Structure formats: structure tokens, C-alpha cells
Amino acid sequence: MPRPSAGSHHNDKLHVRKGDTVIVLSGKHKGKTGKVLLALPRDQKVVVEGVNLITKNVKPSMSNPQGGQEQRELALHASKVALVDPETGKATRIRKQIVDGKKVRVAVASGKVID
């Protein structure tokens, strides 16, 4: 089954991964930092802990007999977040480098290896 071409990206890669600490660059959550809980490369989106929260009404179920409301994170576009530099704590771009025969991500601002 071919994938749709409208709005699709031929390169399904993101500059952030699950577990990375990121900072939001734009939008109403600008400046907030959090950990990436989920990366969705096909949609170019990420879910960040504590950012873009919504209140969802939950029906009572066997696991949650009370039901009620719960806070949940929504995905936001990956271009709105940047990796946090481990040295300065500010937003940084990344560069891929080969260190000891392994391809690693390096912070452009400080030159520190991220993974």
C-alpha cells in the first residue's frame, strides 16, 4: 500500500529521540522543558512530558470505576522543540559525528557528546 504524498516526508527521521530532554521553542508552551515520552517520526511529532496538556473526560471502566477527568499530553510538531545542551542547559542543534567508530550526536553549541 503506497503512502500518501500530500504532507508526507520522504525522510522519516527526527532530530530527537525518546528519553531526550528538550525545550519548546515556539507556541503557547515556549520555554518549557521536558522529556520526550514518544517520538512519531512518520507524523514529525513528539510527545513531551508536562507540555501541551489537555483535560480528557474518562468514562468509568473496570480498571477505573470512578471515571472522571485526567490530564494528558498531546503531540506537538518536532520543529517546535530543540535538544537541551547538557553543558549549558540551553537549546542546541545537533551534529552527527563518528567517535571511536560509532556514530553519535554532538551538541553544536558546546561540542559535548549527547549519546
Side-chain angles (χ1 to χ4, degrees):
M1 183 172 97
R3 289 183 32 200
S5 61
S8 70
H9 297 271
H10 71 126
N11 186 1
D12 288 342
K13 290 186 180 178
L14 294 177
H15 62 286
V16 290
R17 296 181 191 158
K18 182 179 173 181
D20 285 347
T21 304
V22 295
I23 187 165
V24 181
L25 300 175
S26 65
K28 64 180 178 181
H29 303 288
K30 181 178 178 176
K32 286 189 180 179
T33 58
K35 206 164 92 174
V36 176
L37 299 174
L38 181 67
L40 306 163
R42 284 183 86 163
D43 301 328
Q44 295 286 303
K45 293 190 175 209
V46 289
V47 176
V48 182
E49 187 177 36
V51 176
N52 204 14
L53 291 171
I54 57 144
T55 304
K56 181 154 175 61
N57 293 321
V58 181
K59 273 179 131 176
S61 64
M62 292 294 274
S63 61
N64 184 6
Q66 185 65 37
Q69 294 181 332
E70 68 176 35
Q71 292 277 354
R72 190 177 284 184
E73 290 98 354
L74 278 185
L76 47 116
H77 202 271
S79 65
K80 290 187 173 198
V81 298
L83 215 56
V84 172
D85 193 320
E87 195 172 88
T88 62
K90 294 182 179 176
T92 183
R93 291 169 296 140
I94 60 157
R95 167 176 61 233
K96 298 217 167 86
Q97 245 176 15
I98 295 175
V99 177
D100 300 328
K102 250 185 157 178
K103 196 172 184 182
V104 294
R105 295 180 301 163
V106 177
V108 171
S110 66
K112 292 283 180 193
V113 175
I114 291 167
D115 47 20

